[in-house]
């Protein structure tokens, strides 16, 4: 029986994140880290064009064109090892583990402290899908299913519903009163639009 993974959403605002490598895997991590408010530092011998284009939008992301060293791991909270060299990834995974730093070694699930999930943001709702890093195709298929189930035009409606619920908690701090009001709203909708004589 495999060990169960614990799903979690991390608040990375102000956290020091290191990405080693500047290829496709780096771009994938950058897209996932976009808008998280993390302090991102990338070290790579070279950068693919798509990564360079992405970086033009975010001048606060620090980049260096050189080989990574052990000292680069100091004061990091999460490290993404995204190079195409398995030996480099393995070496710095070992160093990071000794320093107590969480590591995601791309395309090497057994050398990961955590896996990056495939995420879907639909208005205020965020879904995260993981296959323990072993079957990316399933994640992308499920992602497409969620996006088709909750279409783009419903995003504004979901935002409104969530805002109404937040406001109701302020107006009616007592949960029993809130439950009563919500029940009355649902019953009214049901009787006016869904009740069949």
């Amino acid at each position: 029986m495999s060990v169960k993974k614990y799903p979690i959403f991390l608040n990375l605002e102000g956290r020091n994140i290191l990405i080693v490598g500047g290829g496709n895997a780096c771009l994938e991590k950058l897209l996932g880290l976009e808008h998280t408010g993390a302090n991102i530092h990338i070290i790579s011998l070279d950068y693919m064009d798509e990564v360079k284009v992405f970086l033009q939008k975010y001048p606060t992301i620090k980049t260096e064109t050189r080989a990574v060293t052990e000292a680069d791991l100091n004061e990091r909270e999460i490290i993404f090892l995204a190079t195409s060299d398995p030996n480099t990834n393995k070496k710095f995974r070992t160093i990071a583990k000794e320093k107590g730093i969480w590591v995601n070694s791309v395309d090497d699930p057994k050398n990961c402290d955590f896996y990056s999930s495939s995420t879907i943001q639909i208005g205020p709702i965020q879904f995260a899908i993981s296959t323990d890093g072993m079957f990316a195709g399933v994640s992308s298929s499920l992602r497409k299913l969620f996006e088709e189930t909750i279409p783009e035009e419903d995003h504004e409606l979901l935002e409104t519903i969530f805002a109404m619920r937040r406001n109701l908690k302020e107006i009616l701090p007592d949960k029993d009163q809130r439950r009563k009001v919500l029940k009355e709203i649902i019953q009214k909708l049901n009787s006016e639009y869904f009740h069949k004589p």
Side-chain angles (χ1 to χ4, degrees), residues 21-39:
N24 272 318
C26 171
L27 181 61
E28 178 186 302
K29 301 310 171 190
L30 285 171
L31 291 168
L33 292 166
E34 194 174 16
H35 309 305
T36 61
N39 298 322

Side-chain angles (χ1 to χ4, degrees), residues 151-165:
E152 186 75 30
E153 57 268 22
D154 290 344
H155 294 194
E156 188 176 335
L157 178 60
L158 288 170
E159 293 279 7
T160 302
I161 291 169
F162 274 60
M164 287 171 67
R165 186 176 182 274

Side-chain angles (χ1 to χ4, degrees), residues 22 27 47-56:
L27 181 61
Y47 297 85
M48 67 183 238
D49 290 341
E50 289 84 350
V51 171
K52 291 177 183 176
V53 169
F54 181 93
L55 292 172
Q56 287 174 3

Side-chain angles (χ1 to χ4, degrees), residues 6-17 32-39 76-80 101-104 113-117 119 121 126-128:
Y6 182 74
I8 190 169
F9 284 88
L10 295 175
N11 179 3
L12 296 180
E13 186 174 9
R15 302 289 185 176
N16 294 322
I17 310 294
L33 292 166
E34 194 174 16
H35 309 305
T36 61
N39 298 322
R76 309 294 180 185
E77 290 163 283
I78 290 178
I79 297 172
F80 292 96
I101 305 167
W102 281 21
V103 176
N104 175 272
D113 293 311
F114 65 96
Y115 304 137
S116 297
S117 59
T119 59
Q121 186 82 38
Q126 188 173 18
F127 297 97

